[in-house]
Amino acid sequence: MRQERVYVMSGNAFAISDAQGDIVIDPHAPIGYFSFDTRFLSHWVLKVDGERLNSLSRDDMTYFETRFVLVPGAASHYVDADVSLIRHRSIDDSFNERILVLNHSAEPAEFTVRLDVAADFADTAEIQQPRPRRVSVVADSERRQLRLRYARERFVRQTIVTSTAPVEVDEGGLTFRIRIEPEGEWVTDLHVATLIEGAGGRDLRAGLEEHRDHVRRGMREDLQEWIERAPLLNAERTELTATYQQCLVDLASLRYVPLTKSGAVPVGGVPWGMALYGRDAIITGLQTMAFTPELARATLRTLATLQGDRLDDEHDEEPGKIVAELRYGEAAAFGDEPTALYYGAADTTPLFVILVDEYERWTGDADLVRDLRHPTRMALDWIDEYGDLTGDGYLRYLTRNPDKGWVNQGWKNSPEAITYADGRLPDLPRATCELQGYAYDAKRRGARLAREFWGDPEYADRLEREAAELKQRFNRDFWLPEREYYALALEPDGTPVDALSSNIGHLLWSGIVEDERAAAVAAHLVGPALFSGWGVRTLATGQRRYNPVGSHLGAVWPSDNSLIVAGLRRYHRDGEAARIASGIFDMACMLGGSVPELIAGYEREVTKYPVQLPAAGRPQAWSSGGLLMLLGALLGLRPSGDNLLVSPALPPGFGRIELLDIPGRWGHSDGYGRDHASSLRTRRPRLR
C-alpha cells in the first residue's frame, strides 16, 4: 500500500512529509524540504515522551499551509488520549511550523517534546542515491538555534532552525521539557531559514514574524486576487467547476520568481520539476492565455533574458536558442549536470515566437512585442542557422554534449521515445514532425509581427514564403499515403520513421496539415490504437515499443491532449475534439484534486478507472493549464482584432457552461456554451 504523502509548497520551494507531518528519507521519493534544487531538511520527526505521533485528522488549508491533529502512540490510544498536538505548517521562502500541545486531563502534566532534525543538502538530481556530504552542525541553546551548514568551495547552503520557546538544542535536534496546567496548552513557533552562498545575518525570530504576517495576509490575499482575476466558470456539471478552481489554485502554487526578476513564471511541477523549464513555461502560457495572461508575459521576459548568445557545447547553447532548463543546485553549479542553464531543446525556440504573437493577439500589448523584437528575431534566425542541421530545410536536433546532453530534444525527451513502428531507433540528427509544425507556425506568426509591429515588410514576405515552402515540403516528405498519417520523424537521409504517435495532433494545432488530410489524422487520433477512452496515448498500440505505463511510449498526458484538441477545433473536427476533451475531463473529475502529469494508457473499458503512475507529478503546471486550454477550445475562444469570438462545441453531458469576465484586449467578455443534447431538450416543445 502506497504511503500517503502531504505536500505544502510555494513557488519552487516545497515540503513533502508523511501523514503525520514527519520527514523521513525514502530512497524512492523526494521526501524533505526543498528550495532552489537543494534538500534543506532530510529529517524532521516529532515525538512526545519518546513516542512517534499518529494522525487524527488533517486540514489542507491552502497549497502553502496545512494543519495536522495528532496524538502519541498507536490508534488504540486515540479514544482516551490525555494529550494531543496541533501541528500547523506553512511555507513561502522559508519553512515554518507551530506546535501546540494540549493537556486534556484534570491534572498538571509534564511532557518531553522532541524534534529530531537533520539536513543532507542533497541535490534534487540525486535524490534516489544522494552522495554523503560533510555537514557541520552548531547547536546554540542560548539563541534557541540549530545551524546546519554544507560548503563546497564557494557553494554554501545552510539550514537554520529557530524556536520561539526555550529549548535544549543538540546536534541531533531540539528538546522541550514542558509543564502544562489542567486543560492548558503550550506552544512554540519553529522557523527554518535557508541561506544560500552564506548570505543572511538577519534576526531569524523577526523573520518568523515576517513570515507569519506574509502567510496570514499577503499569500492569502494574493491567492484570492489571483482567483478573482481569472474568469468565473458556472457549469451545470458541478464537478467541472471544482476541477477548474483546483487548476487555478495549482497554477498559483507553481509560480516563482527566478533570479532574472522578470516576474512570476510557472515551474514544471511537484516533485521533480520544481524549476524553470522553457517548454513547460511556454506551453503553460499558451494554455492559460484566456485565463491568466500574466504568466505568459513574465515567461516571455524571463526567457528573453536567458536566451542563448554563444556557442557552448557543454550546455547545448547557441545564439538565439531559448533555454530548456534552469537549475540552482550543486550538480548544476559544478557541471555534474549541464543544467545551470541548459539549452538542449529544439522546440522551445519556435514556441517562444508563437507565444510572443499569441500574447499580443489576446492582450494587445504591442509595447512588449516591440521590446522583444531582437530576441524574437534571434529565435527566428536560429531555426534556419542552427536548427537545420542537414541543410534540407527541416528543424532537427543533435546534442553538442555527447556525454551529458539529452538525446531527444522535443517534448518526448526520454531516450526511446522516437522510434520506428518495429522498435528500431532512428539515427541522429532527427527531425520530428511536430518540430516542423512549430517552425511553420513561428515563421507565419513572425511575419505578422514583422509587418505590423517592426516595420519590416520585406522580412515578413520572406518568412511567409519560407513557411509556405516548408508546408509544401513537409506534406510531401512526412505523409505516409498507405497509412494516412504523418511520420513521427525523418532520419538524416530523409527516410520516414513510421510510428503512429500523438505528435500528429500537434500538427493540427500548428496548421501545417493540408485541409484534405485533416479528417484522416483526426480519425487516427480517436481510433482504438491512439485513443484510450481517457485521452490520446503518446504512442499507439501495435507499435513494437508501446507500453501503457511508458511516459512517452503509451501513457496519456493532459498537456499533450490539450494541444491536440485545440488543433482538432482549428480544422473544424468538432466531434473528435469533444470526444477527447470529454475523456480528459472525466479523468480529472474522477480522480479529484490536482490534475496528474500523466496516466497510464490502458483502455478505459478495461480498467474502468484512470490508472495513476507513481512517477507522475501532481500538480503540474501544463496539466492544470491543459484543462484550461481544453475548456477554451470547447468554447471556441479566439481573439479577432479587438473582439473575442466564441464558437462552442461541447461534449454530450456537459450541459450549459458560462465563462464570465474573460480578460483580453477587449477588456472583459463572456463565453457561453451548451451541449447539443441540452440544446435539443431546451428547444423541444413539451407534449400535451
Side-chain angles (χ1 to χ4, degrees), residues 269-297:
V270 174
W272 305 109
M274 297 298 282
L276 174 64
Y277 292 88
R279 176 187 303 114
D280 297 44
I282 292 172
I283 290 179
T284 301
L286 290 164
Q287 293 168 331
T288 59
M289 196 70 72
F291 303 87
T292 57
E294 59 261 49
L295 288 179
R297 180 182 177 86

PDB file of all heavy atoms in Angstrom, residues 269-297:
ATOM      1  N   GLY A 269       6.527  21.460 -11.979  1.00  0.00           N
ATOM      2  CA  GLY A 269       5.565  20.856 -11.077  1.00  0.00           C
ATOM      3  C   GLY A 269       6.219  19.977 -10.040  1.00  0.00           C
ATOM      4  O   GLY A 269       7.408  19.646 -10.119  1.00  0.00           O
ATOM      5  N   VAL A 270       5.420  19.561  -9.069  1.00  0.00           N
ATOM      6  CA  VAL A 270       5.865  18.711  -7.963  1.00  0.00           C
ATOM      7  C   VAL A 270       5.902  17.262  -8.426  1.00  0.00           C
ATOM      8  O   VAL A 270       4.991  16.810  -9.114  1.00  0.00           O
ATOM      9  CB  VAL A 270       4.893  18.871  -6.770  1.00  0.00           C
ATOM     10  CG1 VAL A 270       5.236  17.909  -5.654  1.00  0.00           C
ATOM     11  CG2 VAL A 270       4.909  20.305  -6.251  1.00  0.00           C
ATOM     12  N   PRO A 271       6.910  16.455  -7.996  1.00  0.00           N
ATOM     13  CA  PRO A 271       8.045  16.880  -7.183  1.00  0.00           C
ATOM     14  C   PRO A 271       9.322  17.119  -7.983  1.00  0.00           C
ATOM     15  O   PRO A 271      10.227  17.781  -7.500  1.00  0.00           O
ATOM     16  CB  PRO A 271       8.242  15.687  -6.246  1.00  0.00           C
ATOM     17  CG  PRO A 271       7.886  14.515  -7.100  1.00  0.00           C
ATOM     18  CD  PRO A 271       6.788  14.987  -8.022  1.00  0.00           C
ATOM     19  N   TRP A 272       9.424  16.543  -9.179  1.00  0.00           N
ATOM     20  CA  TRP A 272      10.701  16.533  -9.880  1.00  0.00           C
ATOM     21  C   TRP A 272      10.940  17.781 -10.707  1.00  0.00           C
ATOM     22  O   TRP A 272      12.071  18.060 -11.098  1.00  0.00           O
ATOM     23  CB  TRP A 272      10.791  15.299 -10.792  1.00  0.00           C
ATOM     24  CG  TRP A 272      10.562  14.018 -10.064  1.00  0.00           C
ATOM     25  CD1 TRP A 272       9.460  13.198 -10.154  1.00  0.00           C
ATOM     26  CD2 TRP A 272      11.440  13.398  -9.125  1.00  0.00           C
ATOM     27  NE1 TRP A 272       9.615  12.119  -9.329  1.00  0.00           N
ATOM     28  CE2 TRP A 272      10.824  12.217  -8.685  1.00  0.00           C
ATOM     29  CE3 TRP A 272      12.690  13.739  -8.605  1.00  0.00           C
ATOM     30  CZ2 TRP A 272      11.409  11.361  -7.748  1.00  0.00           C
ATOM     31  CZ3 TRP A 272      13.269  12.884  -7.677  1.00  0.00           C
ATOM     32  CH2 TRP A 272      12.636  11.722  -7.261  1.00  0.00           C
ATOM     33  N   GLY A 273       9.900  18.519 -10.994  1.00  0.00           N
ATOM     34  CA  GLY A 273      10.044  19.640 -11.920  1.00  0.00           C
ATOM     35  C   GLY A 273       9.911  21.004 -11.279  1.00  0.00           C
ATOM     36  O   GLY A 273       9.375  21.924 -11.897  1.00  0.00           O
ATOM     37  N   MET A 274      10.418  21.164 -10.059  1.00  0.00           N
ATOM     38  CA  MET A 274      10.281  22.453  -9.373  1.00  0.00           C
ATOM     39  C   MET A 274      11.396  23.404  -9.799  1.00  0.00           C
ATOM     40  O   MET A 274      12.214  23.875  -8.998  1.00  0.00           O
ATOM     41  CB  MET A 274      10.267  22.235  -7.871  1.00  0.00           C
ATOM     42  CG  MET A 274       9.086  21.405  -7.409  1.00  0.00           C
ATOM     43  SD  MET A 274       7.485  22.194  -7.752  1.00  0.00           S
ATOM     44  CE  MET A 274       7.423  23.386  -6.432  1.00  0.00           C
ATOM     45  N   ALA A 275      11.422  23.671 -11.081  1.00  0.00           N
ATOM     46  CA  ALA A 275      12.423  24.552 -11.681  1.00  0.00           C
ATOM     47  C   ALA A 275      11.817  25.146 -12.941  1.00  0.00           C
ATOM     48  O   ALA A 275      10.726  24.762 -13.374  1.00  0.00           O
ATOM     49  CB  ALA A 275      13.693  23.763 -12.013  1.00  0.00           C
ATOM     50  N   LEU A 276      12.529  26.084 -13.525  1.00  0.00           N
ATOM     51  CA  LEU A 276      12.077  26.684 -14.774  1.00  0.00           C
ATOM     52  C   LEU A 276      12.431  25.760 -15.935  1.00  0.00           C
ATOM     53  O   LEU A 276      13.600  25.452 -16.168  1.00  0.00           O
ATOM     54  CB  LEU A 276      12.742  28.049 -14.981  1.00  0.00           C
ATOM     55  CG  LEU A 276      12.461  28.715 -16.331  1.00  0.00           C
ATOM     56  CD1 LEU A 276      10.978  29.050 -16.486  1.00  0.00           C
ATOM     57  CD2 LEU A 276      13.299  29.974 -16.499  1.00  0.00           C
ATOM     58  N   TYR A 277      11.410  25.321 -16.655  1.00  0.00           N
ATOM     59  CA  TYR A 277      11.579  24.588 -17.912  1.00  0.00           C
ATOM     60  C   TYR A 277      10.998  25.460 -19.020  1.00  0.00           C
ATOM     61  O   TYR A 277       9.814  25.811 -18.977  1.00  0.00           O
ATOM     62  CB  TYR A 277      10.852  23.246 -17.876  1.00  0.00           C
ATOM     63  CG  TYR A 277      11.437  22.250 -16.920  1.00  0.00           C
ATOM     64  CD1 TYR A 277      11.043  22.203 -15.600  1.00  0.00           C
ATOM     65  CD2 TYR A 277      12.421  21.349 -17.343  1.00  0.00           C
ATOM     66  CE1 TYR A 277      11.589  21.298 -14.713  1.00  0.00           C
ATOM     67  CE2 TYR A 277      12.972  20.430 -16.465  1.00  0.00           C
ATOM     68  CZ  TYR A 277      12.548  20.407 -15.153  1.00  0.00           C
ATOM     69  OH  TYR A 277      13.086  19.507 -14.269  1.00  0.00           O
ATOM     70  N   GLY A 278      11.820  25.790 -20.000  1.00  0.00           N
ATOM     71  CA  GLY A 278      11.352  26.670 -21.058  1.00  0.00           C
ATOM     72  C   GLY A 278      10.112  26.158 -21.747  1.00  0.00           C
ATOM     73  O   GLY A 278       9.139  26.891 -21.952  1.00  0.00           O
ATOM     74  N   ARG A 279      10.120  24.876 -22.099  1.00  0.00           N
ATOM     75  CA  ARG A 279       8.987  24.288 -22.816  1.00  0.00           C
ATOM     76  C   ARG A 279       7.719  24.329 -21.963  1.00  0.00           C
ATOM     77  O   ARG A 279       6.658  24.760 -22.422  1.00  0.00           O
ATOM     78  CB  ARG A 279       9.315  22.849 -23.200  1.00  0.00           C
ATOM     79  CG  ARG A 279       8.188  22.086 -23.880  1.00  0.00           C
ATOM     80  CD  ARG A 279       8.545  20.634 -24.078  1.00  0.00           C
ATOM     81  NE  ARG A 279       9.766  20.485 -24.839  1.00  0.00           N
ATOM     82  CZ  ARG A 279      10.900  19.981 -24.339  1.00  0.00           C
ATOM     83  NH1 ARG A 279      10.967  19.613 -23.072  1.00  0.00           N
ATOM     84  NH2 ARG A 279      11.969  19.855 -25.111  1.00  0.00           N
ATOM     85  N   ASP A 280       7.806  23.864 -20.732  1.00  0.00           N
ATOM     86  CA  ASP A 280       6.632  23.822 -19.861  1.00  0.00           C
ATOM     87  C   ASP A 280       6.064  25.214 -19.639  1.00  0.00           C
ATOM     88  O   ASP A 280       4.844  25.418 -19.654  1.00  0.00           O
ATOM     89  CB  ASP A 280       6.998  23.213 -18.514  1.00  0.00           C
ATOM     90  CG  ASP A 280       7.469  21.773 -18.618  1.00  0.00           C
ATOM     91  OD1 ASP A 280       8.271  21.476 -19.523  1.00  0.00           O
ATOM     92  OD2 ASP A 280       7.058  20.950 -17.784  1.00  0.00           O
ATOM     93  N   ALA A 281       6.962  26.183 -19.405  1.00  0.00           N
ATOM     94  CA  ALA A 281       6.504  27.540 -19.135  1.00  0.00           C
ATOM     95  C   ALA A 281       5.820  28.145 -20.357  1.00  0.00           C
ATOM     96  O   ALA A 281       4.775  28.811 -20.237  1.00  0.00           O
ATOM     97  CB  ALA A 281       7.676  28.410 -18.694  1.00  0.00           C
ATOM     98  N   ILE A 282       6.386  27.934 -21.550  1.00  0.00           N
ATOM     99  CA  ILE A 282       5.785  28.490 -22.769  1.00  0.00           C
ATOM    100  C   ILE A 282       4.424  27.864 -23.023  1.00  0.00           C
ATOM    101  O   ILE A 282       3.431  28.564 -23.290  1.00  0.00           O
ATOM    102  CB  ILE A 282       6.712  28.270 -23.980  1.00  0.00           C
ATOM    103  CG1 ILE A 282       7.979  29.112 -23.847  1.00  0.00           C
ATOM    104  CG2 ILE A 282       5.983  28.620 -25.276  1.00  0.00           C
ATOM    105  CD1 ILE A 282       9.031  28.801 -24.895  1.00  0.00           C
ATOM    106  N   ILE A 283       4.353  26.536 -22.945  1.00  0.00           N
ATOM    107  CA  ILE A 283       3.079  25.872 -23.222  1.00  0.00           C
ATOM    108  C   ILE A 283       2.042  26.252 -22.174  1.00  0.00           C
ATOM    109  O   ILE A 283       0.867  26.482 -22.492  1.00  0.00           O
ATOM    110  CB  ILE A 283       3.290  24.353 -23.320  1.00  0.00           C
ATOM    111  CG1 ILE A 283       4.078  24.034 -24.602  1.00  0.00           C
ATOM    112  CG2 ILE A 283       1.959  23.609 -23.308  1.00  0.00           C
ATOM    113  CD1 ILE A 283       4.391  22.581 -24.814  1.00  0.00           C
ATOM    114  N   THR A 284       2.455  26.364 -20.915  1.00  0.00           N
ATOM    115  CA  THR A 284       1.520  26.821 -19.891  1.00  0.00           C
ATOM    116  C   THR A 284       1.017  28.222 -20.217  1.00  0.00           C
ATOM    117  O   THR A 284      -0.174  28.527 -20.049  1.00  0.00           O
ATOM    118  CB  THR A 284       2.188  26.805 -18.506  1.00  0.00           C
ATOM    119  OG1 THR A 284       2.624  25.476 -18.209  1.00  0.00           O
ATOM    120  CG2 THR A 284       1.221  27.262 -17.429  1.00  0.00           C
ATOM    121  N   GLY A 285       1.903  29.082 -20.690  1.00  0.00           N
ATOM    122  CA  GLY A 285       1.486  30.424 -21.089  1.00  0.00           C
ATOM    123  C   GLY A 285       0.474  30.398 -22.219  1.00  0.00           C
ATOM    124  O   GLY A 285      -0.509  31.155 -22.212  1.00  0.00           O
ATOM    125  N   LEU A 286       0.680  29.527 -23.192  1.00  0.00           N
ATOM    126  CA  LEU A 286      -0.270  29.392 -24.294  1.00  0.00           C
ATOM    127  C   LEU A 286      -1.607  28.847 -23.800  1.00  0.00           C
ATOM    128  O   LEU A 286      -2.671  29.303 -24.228  1.00  0.00           O
ATOM    129  CB  LEU A 286       0.309  28.480 -25.376  1.00  0.00           C
ATOM    130  CG  LEU A 286       1.481  29.045 -26.175  1.00  0.00           C
ATOM    131  CD1 LEU A 286       2.218  27.936 -26.920  1.00  0.00           C
ATOM    132  CD2 LEU A 286       0.998  30.104 -27.158  1.00  0.00           C
ATOM    133  N   GLN A 287      -1.551  27.874 -22.905  1.00  0.00           N
ATOM    134  CA  GLN A 287      -2.773  27.242 -22.417  1.00  0.00           C
ATOM    135  C   GLN A 287      -3.640  28.191 -21.599  1.00  0.00           C
ATOM    136  O   GLN A 287      -4.864  28.075 -21.601  1.00  0.00           O
ATOM    137  CB  GLN A 287      -2.411  26.034 -21.547  1.00  0.00           C
ATOM    138  CG  GLN A 287      -1.765  24.885 -22.299  1.00  0.00           C
ATOM    139  CD  GLN A 287      -1.173  23.854 -21.343  1.00  0.00           C
ATOM    140  OE1 GLN A 287      -0.772  24.195 -20.230  1.00  0.00           O
ATOM    141  NE2 GLN A 287      -1.134  22.605 -21.754  1.00  0.00           N
ATOM    142  N   THR A 288      -2.999  29.106 -20.888  1.00  0.00           N
ATOM    143  CA  THR A 288      -3.721  29.937 -19.922  1.00  0.00           C
ATOM    144  C   THR A 288      -3.972  31.353 -20.417  1.00  0.00           C
ATOM    145  O   THR A 288      -4.360  32.221 -19.635  1.00  0.00           O
ATOM    146  CB  THR A 288      -2.940  29.996 -18.597  1.00  0.00           C
ATOM    147  OG1 THR A 288      -1.626  30.543 -18.836  1.00  0.00           O
ATOM    148  CG2 THR A 288      -2.787  28.607 -17.992  1.00  0.00           C
ATOM    149  N   MET A 289      -3.783  31.592 -21.701  1.00  0.00           N
ATOM    150  CA  MET A 289      -3.875  32.952 -22.230  1.00  0.00           C
ATOM    151  C   MET A 289      -5.232  33.593 -21.978  1.00  0.00           C
ATOM    152  O   MET A 289      -5.330  34.795 -21.699  1.00  0.00           O
ATOM    153  CB  MET A 289      -3.577  32.948 -23.728  1.00  0.00           C
ATOM    154  CG  MET A 289      -3.265  34.303 -24.288  1.00  0.00           C
ATOM    155  SD  MET A 289      -1.673  34.916 -23.730  1.00  0.00           S
ATOM    156  CE  MET A 289      -0.582  33.839 -24.660  1.00  0.00           C
ATOM    157  N   ALA A 290      -6.299  32.816 -22.042  1.00  0.00           N
ATOM    158  CA  ALA A 290      -7.643  33.360 -21.836  1.00  0.00           C
ATOM    159  C   ALA A 290      -8.009  33.469 -20.371  1.00  0.00           C
ATOM    160  O   ALA A 290      -9.102  33.954 -20.046  1.00  0.00           O
ATOM    161  CB  ALA A 290      -8.671  32.472 -22.550  1.00  0.00           C
ATOM    162  N   PHE A 291      -7.108  33.049 -19.490  1.00  0.00           N
ATOM    163  CA  PHE A 291      -7.440  32.958 -18.074  1.00  0.00           C
ATOM    164  C   PHE A 291      -6.481  33.780 -17.203  1.00  0.00           C
ATOM    165  O   PHE A 291      -6.911  34.613 -16.413  1.00  0.00           O
ATOM    166  CB  PHE A 291      -7.412  31.491 -17.637  1.00  0.00           C
ATOM    167  CG  PHE A 291      -8.339  30.617 -18.422  1.00  0.00           C
ATOM    168  CD1 PHE A 291      -7.927  30.027 -19.620  1.00  0.00           C
ATOM    169  CD2 PHE A 291      -9.630  30.391 -17.982  1.00  0.00           C
ATOM    170  CE1 PHE A 291      -8.793  29.228 -20.357  1.00  0.00           C
ATOM    171  CE2 PHE A 291     -10.505  29.591 -18.710  1.00  0.00           C
ATOM    172  CZ  PHE A 291     -10.089  29.012 -19.906  1.00  0.00           C
ATOM    173  N   THR A 292      -5.189  33.545 -17.359  1.00  0.00           N
ATOM    174  CA  THR A 292      -4.172  34.228 -16.541  1.00  0.00           C
ATOM    175  C   THR A 292      -3.029  34.685 -17.445  1.00  0.00           C
ATOM    176  O   THR A 292      -1.926  34.141 -17.401  1.00  0.00           O
ATOM    177  CB  THR A 292      -3.639  33.276 -15.452  1.00  0.00           C
ATOM    178  OG1 THR A 292      -3.114  32.090 -16.065  1.00  0.00           O
ATOM    179  CG2 THR A 292      -4.739  32.889 -14.480  1.00  0.00           C
ATOM    180  N   PRO A 293      -3.258  35.698 -18.277  1.00  0.00           N
ATOM    181  CA  PRO A 293      -2.251  36.095 -19.274  1.00  0.00           C
ATOM    182  C   PRO A 293      -0.956  36.622 -18.672  1.00  0.00           C
ATOM    183  O   PRO A 293       0.059  36.691 -19.368  1.00  0.00           O
ATOM    184  CB  PRO A 293      -2.963  37.174 -20.097  1.00  0.00           C
ATOM    185  CG  PRO A 293      -4.049  37.689 -19.200  1.00  0.00           C
ATOM    186  CD  PRO A 293      -4.486  36.506 -18.384  1.00  0.00           C
ATOM    187  N   GLU A 294      -0.952  36.978 -17.380  1.00  0.00           N
ATOM    188  CA  GLU A 294       0.284  37.474 -16.774  1.00  0.00           C
ATOM    189  C   GLU A 294       1.374  36.417 -16.747  1.00  0.00           C
ATOM    190  O   GLU A 294       2.562  36.746 -16.724  1.00  0.00           O
ATOM    191  CB  GLU A 294       0.017  38.005 -15.368  1.00  0.00           C
ATOM    192  CG  GLU A 294      -0.576  37.002 -14.403  1.00  0.00           C
ATOM    193  CD  GLU A 294      -2.078  37.143 -14.260  1.00  0.00           C
ATOM    194  OE1 GLU A 294      -2.757  37.206 -15.312  1.00  0.00           O
ATOM    195  OE2 GLU A 294      -2.569  37.180 -13.114  1.00  0.00           O
ATOM    196  N   LEU A 295       0.997  35.133 -16.756  1.00  0.00           N
ATOM    197  CA  LEU A 295       2.012  34.081 -16.798  1.00  0.00           C
ATOM    198  C   LEU A 295       2.806  34.151 -18.102  1.00  0.00           C
ATOM    199  O   LEU A 295       4.026  33.958 -18.109  1.00  0.00           O
ATOM    200  CB  LEU A 295       1.360  32.704 -16.663  1.00  0.00           C
ATOM    201  CG  LEU A 295       0.810  32.323 -15.288  1.00  0.00           C
ATOM    202  CD1 LEU A 295       0.187  30.929 -15.355  1.00  0.00           C
ATOM    203  CD2 LEU A 295       1.899  32.371 -14.229  1.00  0.00           C
ATOM    204  N   ALA A 296       2.125  34.410 -19.200  1.00  0.00           N
ATOM    205  CA  ALA A 296       2.802  34.480 -20.497  1.00  0.00           C
ATOM    206  C   ALA A 296       3.753  35.668 -20.543  1.00  0.00           C
ATOM    207  O   ALA A 296       4.883  35.557 -21.049  1.00  0.00           O
ATOM    208  CB  ALA A 296       1.778  34.573 -21.623  1.00  0.00           C
ATOM    209  N   ARG A 297       3.318  36.802 -20.035  1.00  0.00           N
ATOM    210  CA  ARG A 297       4.168  37.996 -20.076  1.00  0.00           C
ATOM    211  C   ARG A 297       5.459  37.763 -19.296  1.00  0.00           C
ATOM    212  O   ARG A 297       6.556  38.042 -19.805  1.00  0.00           O
ATOM    213  CB  ARG A 297       3.409  39.192 -19.492  1.00  0.00           C
ATOM    214  CG  ARG A 297       4.219  40.487 -19.485  1.00  0.00           C
ATOM    215  CD  ARG A 297       3.446  41.636 -18.844  1.00  0.00           C
ATOM    216  NE  ARG A 297       4.259  42.848 -18.791  1.00  0.00           N
ATOM    217  CZ  ARG A 297       4.354  43.727 -19.770  1.00  0.00           C
ATOM    218  NH1 ARG A 297       3.692  43.539 -20.897  1.00  0.00           N
ATOM    219  NH2 ARG A 297       5.111  44.808 -19.639  1.00  0.00           N
TER     220      ARG A 297
END
